[in-house]
């Protein structure tokens, strides 16, 4: 499968940026050019909870030029066990706004947009079309399928993560590639009948950190053009045994979402 970086043009780095991102620049696979693409990139993060917290922290620290965070929920005391972008002083605050405050303090040189309402399909389509990569960090199938449809329509790569109890999963759906599967190819919408709120399940705190950080890694690879993303490969983590296994999957030619995609 051919792999290419996102459509954003590279930006010049000043002396402070060269110093700030020097450990990236020292990587032969990234270098100045890769970091320039990261700094020019726009990542859309759906959800500022357990997965969105570590993902957004690493994307901000890595210098992604624009982060747009979507979440209409508010910080609750029960979130603080795992949602590390928030603080106790922000209980009751909108999560996207809370995340923006933390990320702005971490890296004041990037643009951070907070979307504090639940996006309609039309709004979601607009948000996705403006991004170079989308991170699905939400906790319900309905939103996941809506995000997937928008990403397929706009041909924007989607980094999908999930975590519940001690089990995590991670994969990439890259609609820029005609042969690449989409979320619906792997998880049909008939699964929504058993979709339950995240609050009804327990979750091992470091699990969301592992998966969220891995989502950030995949997004940075996509933005920079470095490495090979997890397209067509589903990574499954059992955190009780700390064992990973991988399942390969293919595009469903009869998929109602991406089955009619053409050049």
């Amino acid at each position: 499968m051919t792999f290419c970086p996102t459509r954003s043009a590279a930006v010049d780095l000043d002396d402070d940026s060269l110093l700030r991102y020097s450990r990236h620049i020292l990587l032969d696979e990234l270098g100045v050019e890769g970091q320039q693409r990261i700094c020019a990139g726009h990542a859309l993060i759906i959800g500022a909870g357990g997965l969105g917290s570590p993902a957004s922290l690493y994307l901000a620290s890595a210098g992604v030029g624009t982060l747009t965070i979507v979440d209409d929920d508010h910080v609750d005391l029960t979130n603080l066990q795992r949602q590390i972008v928030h603080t106790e002083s922000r209980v009751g605050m909108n999560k996207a706004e809370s995340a923006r405050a933390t990320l702005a303090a971490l890296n004041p040189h990037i643009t951070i947009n907070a979307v504090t309402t639940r996006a309609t399909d039309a709004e979601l389509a607009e948000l996705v079309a403006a991004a170079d990569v989308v991170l699905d960090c939400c906790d319900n199938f309905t939103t996941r399928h809506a995000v997937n449809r928008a990403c397929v329509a706009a041909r924007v790569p989607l980094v999908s993560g999930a975590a519940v109890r001690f089990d995590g999963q991670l994969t990439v759906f890259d609609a820029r590639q005609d042969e690449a599967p989409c979320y619906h190819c792997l998880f049909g919408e008939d699964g929504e009948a058993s979709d339950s709120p995240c609050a009804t399940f327990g979750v091992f705190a470091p699990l969301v950190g592992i998966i969220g950080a891995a989502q950030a890694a995949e997004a940075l690879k996509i933005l920079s053009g470095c490495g090979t993303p997890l397209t067509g490969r589903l990574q499954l983590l059992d955190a009780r045994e700390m064992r990973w296994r991988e399942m390969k999957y293919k595009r469903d030619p009869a998929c109602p979402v991406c089955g009619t995609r053409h050049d």
Side-chain angles (χ1 to χ4, degrees):
M1 178 179 292
T2 303
F3 177 55
C4 57
T6 56
R7 61 183 181 271
S8 291
V11 297
D12 292 331
L13 303 179
D14 59 21
D15 290 343
D16 286 343
S17 295
L18 290 170
L19 183 60
R20 175 183 283 263
Y21 306 120
S22 60
R23 296 304 185 272
H24 263 179
I25 294 169
L26 286 171
L27 295 170
D28 291 340
E29 296 86 350
L30 272 174
V32 172
E33 295 80 6
Q35 185 61 48
Q36 287 176 320
R37 287 192 287 266
I38 289 172
C39 290
H42 183 174
L44 172 64
I45 304 173
I46 308 297
L51 298 174
S53 289
S56 64
L57 285 165
Y58 274 110
L59 293 179
S61 66
V64 175
T66 302
L67 296 178
T68 298
I69 304 168
V70 183
D71 202 315
D72 67 340
D73 197 7
H74 294 79
V75 180
D76 185 84
L77 188 62
T78 61
N79 300 147
L80 301 182
Q81 163 253 13
R82 65 202 178 280
Q83 299 184 15
I84 58 174
V85 79
H86 309 302
T87 64
E88 188 169 346
S89 65
R90 298 196 197 126
V91 169
M93 186 177 182
N94 172 267
K95 288 185 179 180
E97 290 285 7
S98 173
R100 177 165 64 179
T102 299
L103 302 176
L106 177 64
N107 191 344
H109 307 290
I110 63 174
T111 300
I112 307 164
N113 307 311
V115 179
T116 62
T117 58
R118 185 176 293 273
T120 65
D121 286 345
E123 291 168 336
L124 186 59
E126 185 176 348
L127 288 167
V128 168
D132 295 306
V133 63
V134 178
L135 287 80
D136 176 3
C137 300
C138 73
D139 62 0
N140 66 88
F141 285 122
T142 300
T143 301
R144 291 182 185 279
H145 281 288
V147 172
N148 176 65
R149 287 191 293 269
C151 286
V152 170
R155 287 193 172 236
V156 174
L158 172 61
V159 182
S160 178
V164 65
R165 301 186 180 93
F166 287 89
D167 301 311
Q169 63 185 39
L170 174 74
T171 192
V172 171
F173 307 101
D174 193 345
R176 300 172 301 174
Q177 309 295 336
D178 286 331
E179 69 273 26
C182 76
Y183 183 84
H184 195 285
C185 294
L186 186 59
F187 302 108
E189 291 191 61
D190 54 357
E192 291 181 19
S194 60
D195 195 19
S196 300
C198 181
T200 63
F201 299 115
V203 60
F204 186 49
L207 174 67
V208 294
I210 295 168
I211 300 299
Q215 285 184 268
E218 291 299 302
L220 290 172
K221 286 159 56 180
I222 289 169
L223 290 172
S224 67
C226 166
T228 302
L230 284 171
T231 307
R233 296 184 290 143
L234 177 66
Q235 292 279 329
L236 301 167
L237 172 63
D238 178 353
R240 286 158 295 201
E241 303 293 333
M242 201 50 69
R243 290 179 180 170
W244 290 90
R245 61 189 179 93
E246 181 173 291
M247 181 186 78
K248 294 185 179 181
Y249 61 96
K250 296 182 179 180
R251 182 181 178 193
D252 177 5
C255 176
V257 176
C258 71
T260 58
R261 189 171 63 210
H262 298 290
D263 291 330

